[in-house]
Amino acid sequence: MTASDNTLVSYLKDQLDKPLTKVGGFVKMCILTFKALVSRPFQWKEFVLQCWFLIRVAFLPTLAVSIPLTVLIIFTLNILLAEFGAADVSGAGAALGAVTQLGPLVTVLVVAGAGSTAICADLGARTVREEIDAMEVLGIDPIERLVVPRVVASTFVAFMLNGAVIIIGLVGGYFFGVYIQNVNAGAYVSTLTLLTGFPEVVISVLKATIFGLIAGLVGCFRGLTVAGGSKGVGTAVNETLVLCVIALFGVNVVLTTIGVKFGTQAG
């Protein structure tokens, strides 16, 4: 094997080791986070502050995304139902769409685009300023003090946002369908639970909870592993958004498949 071949092999090995090293570091951080989650004391003050912080950065984007999507889904659905003479069952379609897809999908976009990136930027700035290193020197565990409250807050806020989006979808669907597309109000309300029941609600809540958990873990990991100064923080924020969207949409596909299978067997 020539010198050039050795150089190529070394380069390829380095490129392979980097992703594997990051995956290993992420798994290690997840294990340490879950371990610290059951330890005491829990940082309640930091948890409350992070919840308020995430709500401030995520609530308005939630409204901005959920209202147009609600109008689009209900408008398209009611046109289709009207063609078949079944506009009075639009409530069933609105409930199914809002609970199973609208709530989780909007949660994905908002938690990944606003919440996780905000966590990454906050921890990344601390890492660049060497605050994380200073905490370790003082004997303070950054996982317990910073990561756990942010992960729990991200999970909790995602859960709450999912419920808010579902309510917006149902109420917005009612006003848009009844007052603009002339759907019967009583029929809309009476058919809300025709296709949507407890299993669909459980799957929706489970999706939102897992979305928030993954987004919090990814944002914390990239924030703690920032390198390259302020430029590295920007790069880490962009990577956080991409990684979260890919991971969360993958989880959404898996959980939707499980939910459809579970709902079919329950029915």
Side-chain angles (χ1 to χ4, degrees):
M1 185 176 290
T2 63
S4 60
D5 292 334
N6 289 330
T7 303
L8 178 60
V9 171
S10 300
Y11 173 77
L12 293 176
K13 184 179 179 180
D14 291 340
Q15 295 303 311
L16 181 63
D17 287 342
K18 289 179 181 178
L20 294 179
T21 302
K22 289 183 179 180
V23 171
F26 178 71
V27 172
K28 180 181 178 181
M29 193 204 74
C30 292
I31 295 174
L32 293 176
T33 300
F34 291 130
K35 181 180 178 180
L37 185 62
V38 297
S39 64
R40 295 293 182 271
F42 181 75
Q43 303 296 324
W44 287 104
K45 181 178 180 180
E46 187 72 16
F47 167 73
V48 173
L49 291 175
Q50 290 304 312
C51 284
W52 175 241
F53 170 70
L54 291 175
I55 289 173
R56 284 192 294 111
V57 301
F59 185 69
L60 289 180
T62 299
L63 295 179
V65 174
S66 59
I67 293 176
L69 284 180
T70 297
V71 172
L72 178 62
I73 292 174
I74 300 303
F75 179 76
T76 305
L77 177 65
N78 288 348
I79 289 178
L80 179 62
L81 292 175
E83 291 294 328
F84 291 97
D88 289 339
V89 297
S90 63
L96 184 65
V99 172
T100 62
Q101 295 301 323
L102 182 63
L105 287 179
V106 172
T107 303
V108 166
L109 297 174
V110 173
V111 170
S116 184
T117 54
I119 291 175
C120 176
D122 178 35
L123 291 183
R126 293 170 182 260
T127 302
V128 170
R129 295 195 301 264
E130 299 182 350
E131 292 182 17
I132 305 300
D133 295 335
M135 292 178 63
E136 293 177 344
V137 170
L138 294 173
I140 301 173
D141 185 7
I143 299 295
E144 181 180 341
R145 182 62 63 88
L146 299 177
V147 174
V148 171
R150 283 163 172 77
V151 171
V152 177
S154 176
T155 305
F156 178 73
V157 170
F159 169 79
M160 298 298 292
L161 287 178
N162 182 62
V165 173
I166 291 175
I167 293 174
I168 291 172
L170 295 178
V171 175
Y174 174 86
F175 281 100
F176 187 80
V178 171
Y179 293 105
I180 296 181
Q181 294 187 302
N182 299 319
V183 175
N184 183 272
Y188 179 93
V189 175
S190 63
T191 57
L192 285 176
T193 58
L194 185 63
L195 298 175
T196 305
F198 184 71
E200 287 75 20
V201 175
V202 170
I203 293 296
S204 178
V205 171
L206 184 62
K207 284 182 181 181
T209 303
I210 294 177
F211 291 162
L213 179 64
I214 294 176
L217 288 171
V218 173
C220 288
F221 175 72
R222 287 302 293 123
L224 293 176
T225 56
V226 166
S230 58
K231 180 180 178 181
V233 175
T235 302
V237 169
N238 292 333
E239 291 180 358
T240 298
L241 177 59
V242 174
L243 291 173
C244 281
V245 170
I246 293 174
L248 298 182
F249 272 103
V251 172
N252 185 45
V253 171
V254 174
L255 292 180
T256 299
T257 304
I258 295 174
V260 171
K261 183 70 174 178
F262 179 73
T264 302
Q265 291 179 350

